Amino acid sequence: MSELSWVPTDAKKRASLLAAFIADRQAEGVSLPDADAPDAFASLHRWSIADRASFWGSVFRMALPHQPAAASRVAVEHDDVMAPPQRGGARWFPDARLNYAEELLRGAPEAVVLVPWDERGARAEWTRATLRREVARVQAGLRAMGVGPGDRVAGWLPNIPEAIVAMLATASLGAIWTSCSPDFGVAGIVDRFGQTEPTVLLFANGYRYAGKVHDCVDRARELADQLPTVRHFLMVDYLGDKALPDQARFIRYDMLPGEPVGEVPTFEQLPFDHPLWILYSSGTTGLPKCLVHGAGGSLLQHVKEHRLHGDLRPGERLFYFTTCGWMMWNWLVTGLASGAALVLYDGAPMPADEPDMLWRLAEEAEVDVFGTSAKYIAMAEKLTILPRNETRRLPALRAVLSTGSPLAPESFDWVQRELPGVQLSSIAGGTDIVSCFVLGNPLSPVRRGEIQGPGLGMAVAVLDPSGTRVPAGESGELACLAPFPSMPTAFWNDAAGDRYHAAYFSTWPGIWRHGDWASVTASGGVVISGRSDTTLNPGGVRIGTAEIYRQVEGIPEVLEALVIGQRVPGGIAGDVRIVMFVRVRVDAELDGELIAQIQQRIREGASPHHVPRVIIAVPDLPRTRSGKLSEMAVRDVVEGRAVTNTEALANPESLAHFRDRPELR
């Protein structure tokens, strides 16, 4: 078994929200061990799968305690069928009526709920009363513009309070929110919003990133020509120095029409599966998939993850570094339903003039739960950007969450060393489910290099090509064997569910294939090695790319690396060779000695079959806007295929480093 990295005390286990949840189930007659028993979480997970109706009914009552009767009918229409609802899959809580925005706005009016920051530091805190008033004002404006249930409202915005206000106002009316971050270009926005056809689009006149000011007004004018369904463009004056375009369709956000009904908005009461959000896949080939997520399923899944897995309490402060174009923004916002205050950040994670900005934010905003990416943690270690120093102690911080890509074992060591006593939870799921398949919990220990385990109610398994579970320690496809409420309610413009079915259920009928390459450890933890469509397979021996990165990124001279399997030029059909691209420190050079060290580390630590045949230094590596390295984009460029959706990349210009390389001919 892997070394222990963090172990909860029995006292902390007994004081957790998960312990209270277990006690409630015990009082109802469910046979479960107490929270401080060694097998408490594993036993609870087994029950949550074996009696899914009781488990999800309990989560419903926890999230929506004011309508307990609606929890009695949990799922209808083939509740055991793992399939799109349009093709006979489960439909959840048919008797429920709710409004997502209403649930997020409940609570004491004087409580602080939003703490916005940018690269210049903190801005004014928002109370719940302020948030309610602003939602009521924007709701009135949207209503005056004719927005109602089923209409789409789009946000092309930084991660600022106005984005949350607009999303909640949209949800309060039963309309559907869809968003992307302001660094998207016109083509990327049209690829997304052109499919979903919003009637209203909110944008900021600009934003700041890495010390630079970026204008959005000119792009907004272009969008007005390319998005004919948008009747109104609402401009948020974020920079304070940009004029409104002189067109009738453009309105200032602070001068909306309509009169609010009061200090609190009204709320349409809607079915459990009423569409709440449309999110977009971040692939680099073809148009993005448009994933529709329902209000009830998103709310239940997030409340479960925040409270039961994250032990998030009312009044605690939750931070996640994210843009409005990544599902973690949606996940973060739902923290309001658990009474948490959201710490928002708009800007670069490591500004040049203050690379430890996020750790200062964690200190001054008194963050309890700090969410980031695996890449941020790895780079913080490489560049010696320390969370604590002689003046910064982070007394409130109790948990660090990491997602976006697999977290290397060395990153567990670094967090344990620099933040002793803080729980590091690696989590993994995706836009597809707007939540997690595997994540942490307050009852189990954290083991070095492992995700603690599956989500409650999630029938997670690792399968071989025949659909059979693989033994512990062996790798296979990450899958889910039973329905859960946060499955997409649909793909947009896919009435029969055919594209939805093809995306997840075409490999094994009735089983969700997620597309991650993973293994379950002897202790019940999970290790994800990368996307299964980018696993390396030279000579028929398969390995995940993360297993390579774990070895290479432990070398001080290497900042980060990316590997692909390139079809061997002139070789046997289907054969590939491993090619590695590395970004080295400014004071280092990729010479013969460093190449030999890289190859030796991989040979000894990962696999002799996967030692790169070619290693090339590049100044930058392409990554998606959520920080994931894009191995598929590099593979396409190297093999001469067009990358058709470069708007999914934060730095598409980096692809030039991989074209026409003589070393790869």
Side-chain angles (χ1 to χ4, degrees):
M1 290 188 184
S2 301
E3 300 170 32
L4 293 175
S5 180
W6 174 87
V7 179
T9 65
D10 285 347
K12 286 186 175 180
K13 293 179 185 180
R14 290 191 293 267
S16 68
L17 295 177
L18 193 51
F21 183 83
I22 290 172
D24 288 345
R25 305 292 77 74
Q26 291 172 330
E28 294 169 353
V30 180
S31 178
L32 291 169
D34 292 338
D36 54 1
D39 62 341
F41 183 82
S43 298
L44 180 63
H45 182 262
R46 285 193 295 270
W47 169 76
S48 75
I49 300 304
D51 194 350
R52 289 182 303 110
S54 294
F55 171 74
W56 287 112
S58 300
V59 173
F60 184 101
R61 291 190 295 274
M62 177 179 67
L64 297 156
H66 42 279
Q67 49 173 314
S72 58
R73 274 210 303 164
V74 174
V76 294
E77 298 188 26
H78 314 292
D79 65 347
D80 286 325
V81 175
M82 190 59 149
Q86 300 82 359
R87 295 175 64 132
R91 294 180 184 271
W92 297 85
F93 298 99
D95 302 324
R97 290 292 183 273
L98 66 115
N99 189 284
Y100 171 86
E102 183 177 21
E103 301 310 322
L104 268 63
L105 291 172
R106 294 184 187 275
E110 69 279 4
V112 172
V113 293
L114 300 180
V115 185
W117 272 61
D118 61 18
E119 291 180 1
R120 298 169 299 172
R123 295 166 62 197
E125 295 181 342
W126 287 45
T127 65
R128 187 173 284 108
T130 302
L131 180 58
R132 286 171 177 163
R133 282 195 300 271
E134 272 297 285
V135 172
R137 184 184 71 83
V138 176
Q139 179 195 64
L142 294 177
R143 186 183 281 125
M145 295 172 189
V147 174
D151 291 331
R152 275 79 62 207
V153 175
W156 174 46
L157 291 163
N159 183 20
I160 55 179
E162 290 83 354
I164 294 176
V165 168
M167 188 270 281
L168 293 175
T170 299
S172 71
L173 294 167
I176 307 170
W177 174 259
T178 186
S179 60
C180 63
S181 62
D183 52 351
F184 271 66
V186 171
I189 298 165
V190 172
D191 282 350
R192 289 159 176 78
F193 298 162
Q195 295 185 73
T196 53
E197 300 182 312
T199 60
V200 176
L201 187 150
L202 293 95
F203 72 99
N205 53 9
Y207 64 98
R208 295 177 179 85
Y209 189 90
K212 296 180 180 178
V213 174
H214 302 265
D215 175 74
C216 292
V217 175
D218 289 341
R219 280 180 285 163
R221 290 191 183 97
E222 290 185 59
L223 287 173
D225 294 330
Q226 298 194 42
L227 294 175
T229 66
V230 179
R231 301 192 300 264
H232 304 283
F233 286 81
L234 311 184
M235 189 184 82
V236 177
D237 188 9
Y238 186 41
L239 296 182
D241 58 357
K242 297 291 181 180
L244 185 73
D246 186 18
Q247 298 180 33
R249 293 160 70 192
F250 284 81
I251 303 171
R252 289 181 64 96
Y253 172 83
D254 58 356
M255 298 179 65
L256 295 178
E259 196 64 37
V261 295
E263 297 283 297
V264 178
T266 60
F267 302 101
E268 291 284 335
Q269 297 303 305
L270 302 157
F272 184 85
D273 59 358
H274 184 80
L276 172 66
W277 297 316
I278 300 174
L279 280 70
Y280 304 95
S281 65
S282 59
T284 54
T285 56
L287 287 175
K289 298 193 298 286
C290 305
L291 302 157
V292 184
H293 287 287
S298 300
L299 177 67
L300 261 61
Q301 185 78 318
H302 292 174
V303 166
K304 178 203 77 175
E305 293 182 351
H306 290 152
R307 298 188 199 177
L308 301 186
H309 288 273
D311 207 33
L312 187 66
R313 312 296 182 102
E316 286 197 314
R317 295 193 168 190
L318 173 64
F319 166 78
Y320 221 104
F321 179 80
T322 181
T323 71
C324 296
W326 189 22
M327 57 126 316
M328 292 310 300
W329 182 80
N330 306 73
W331 187 92
L332 170 69
V333 173
T334 311
L336 292 171
S338 294
L342 311 181
V343 179
L344 310 178
Y345 179 74
D346 173 50
M350 294 180 177
D353 60 344
E354 189 178 359
D356 61 348
M357 165 65 79
L358 294 188
W359 296 120
R360 177 161 75 89
L361 174 153
E363 167 80 10
E364 295 183 14
E366 299 179 296
V367 169
D368 297 275
V369 180
F370 179 96
T372 186
S373 67
K375 281 295 172 188
Y376 178 84
I377 295 174
M379 293 304 293
E381 179 182 11
K382 286 278 183 182
L383 301 175
T384 322
I385 298 172
L386 301 179
R388 289 176 171 155
N389 56 34
E390 61 276 5
T391 61
R392 187 172 58 233
R393 306 312 305 159
L394 302 174
L397 187 65
R398 63 170 180 81
V400 171
L401 310 182
S402 169
T403 192
S405 58
L407 188 65
E410 291 75 17
S411 292
F412 285 78
D413 300 339
W414 184 79
V415 171
Q416 183 184 32
R417 184 170 63 249
E418 300 299 332
L419 293 168
V422 170
Q423 180 181 4
L424 173 60
S425 291
S426 181
I427 65 178
T431 302
D432 322 69
I433 63 170
V434 73
S435 59
C436 304
F437 276 122
V438 289
L439 68 169
N441 72 75
L443 305 185
S444 305
V446 174
R447 292 185 179 275
R448 181 178 186 267
E450 298 182 13
I451 299 173
Q452 281 173 275
L456 294 168
M458 310 295 277
V460 174
V462 176
L463 307 180
D464 67 16
S466 70
T468 302
R469 287 180 188 264
V470 302
E474 293 188 13
S475 296
E477 294 275 1
L478 185 71
C480 191
L481 310 181
F484 50 93
S486 66
M487 289 170 59
T489 59
F491 280 19
W492 194 251
N493 292 328
D494 181 34
D498 294 339
R499 285 189 290 129
Y500 187 168
H501 181 272
Y504 306 112
F505 304 108
S506 57
T507 302
W508 305 296
I511 295 176
W512 177 294
R513 175 188 171 273
H514 194 53
D516 281 340
W517 194 244
S519 62
V520 176
T521 68
S523 62
V526 177
V527 176
I528 293 180
S529 303
R531 296 294 292 172
S532 57
D533 53 9
T534 59
T535 54
L536 306 172
N537 197 27
V541 181
R542 198 170 181 186
I543 193 172
T545 54
E547 298 181 58
I548 304 293
Y549 300 147
R550 288 187 185 116
Q551 304 306 318
V552 177
E553 291 177 3
I555 298 172
E557 293 84 357
V558 176
L559 287 177
E560 56 182 348
L562 182 149
V563 291
I564 63 169
Q566 180 198 15
R567 289 178 299 183
V568 179
I572 301 170
D575 195 15
V576 298
R577 66 178 179 183
I578 306 302
V579 177
M580 172 174 285
F581 301 93
V582 297
R583 190 163 71 91
V584 299
R585 286 180 175 273
V586 293
D587 57 350
E589 180 184 355
L590 184 69
D591 55 15
E593 183 178 347
L594 182 55
I595 288 173
Q597 184 182 0
I598 291 170
Q599 291 174 324
Q600 184 68 14
R601 286 286 291 264
I602 294 170
R603 181 179 292 108
E604 295 178 354
S607 160
H609 299 285
H610 298 88
V611 174
R613 297 263 297 278
V614 182
I615 302 177
I616 301 170
V618 290
D620 199 8
L621 297 171
R623 64 196 76 247
T624 67
R625 295 176 186 272
S626 58
K628 303 175 186 177
L629 291 177
S630 185
E631 296 150 342
M632 292 181 67
V634 171
R635 190 175 65 192
D636 285 345
V637 169
V638 166
E639 296 188 347
R641 294 185 295 274
V643 180
T644 57
N645 187 17
T646 56
E647 290 290 342
L649 299 175
N651 55 339
E653 69 283 354
S654 66
L655 294 177
H657 305 311
F658 306 90
R659 292 192 178 98
D660 302 320
R661 302 289 307 222
E663 309 97 315
L664 300 178
R665 293 173 187 160

